[in-house]
Amino acid sequence: MEFKMHENGFESEFDFGKLTISSNDEFGFRPFALLVSSIAGCSGGVLKKVLTKMRIDYDDITIAADVKRNPDEANRVEEVTLHFIIFGNDISETKVAKALETSSKNCSMVQSVKGSINVIETFEIKKSKA
């Protein structure tokens, strides 16, 4: 990866498109948002795979992320809470809990920040609309 400086931050070209990063959200994605997005996207993607392998039938997943930062230490990200809302019918909470535990152990982003950022993962199951 190569990141080129511009007036308001940095840019990089990827197969999918251009990524613009800036400390000012008027000019690009903020670094902390990319960090949290990476953790949430990785964790959610692995959870989808695990649910499918466990043959848990679900219709949709939404992830709500909450971030705690420390203003006394360069606004350091200290905690990311991911709350998964899994939509489906007749889904076992016990199986989803096991799937979430497995996905956390296999998510490269969660494992990469382990020890420096506390990642808390919770879930709830909501019935799909018929």
Side-chain angles (χ1 to χ4, degrees):
M1 285 186 255
E2 181 177 78
F3 296 86
K4 295 188 179 195
M5 186 175 77
H6 63 80
E7 185 178 344
N8 297 301
F10 290 85
E11 289 182 345
S12 185
E13 290 287 338
F14 294 90
D15 291 341
F16 189 70
K18 183 179 3 178
L19 174 65
T20 304
I21 305 167
S22 177
S23 59
N24 184 335
D25 57 11
E26 291 180 30
F27 299 109
F29 292 100
R30 294 183 62 200
F32 97 91
L34 292 170
L35 174 69
V36 175
S37 297
S38 294
I39 295 168
C42 177
S43 190
V46 175
L47 179 61
K48 282 176 54 175
K49 287 180 185 178
V50 172
L51 290 172
T52 300
K53 281 187 176 184
M54 291 177 70
R55 298 178 188 202
I56 297 172
D57 190 26
Y58 65 94
D59 296 318
D60 201 3
I61 299 172
T62 300
I63 306 168
D66 185 43
V67 181
K68 289 190 179 150
R69 299 177 78 179
N70 185 338
D72 297 329
E73 292 187 28
N75 223 7
R76 178 185 184 281
V77 175
E78 294 193 337
E79 184 175 280
V80 175
T81 300
L82 302 176
H83 182 69
F84 296 86
I85 303 168
I86 301 165
F87 295 88
N89 297 308
D90 302 318
I91 298 175
S92 163
E93 284 197 30
T94 304
K95 287 183 179 181
V96 171
K98 184 170 178 55
L100 190 56
E101 182 180 324
T102 300
S103 68
S104 181
K105 290 177 184 175
N106 290 284
C107 171
S108 61
M109 295 297 100
V110 170
Q111 293 304 310
S112 293
V113 300
K114 191 175 184 178
S116 61
I117 297 174
N118 186 25
V119 179
I120 299 167
E121 295 173 310
T122 60
F123 73 92
E124 67 181 286
I125 298 169
K126 289 190 176 182
K127 294 228 182 264
S128 292
K129 295 177 181 172

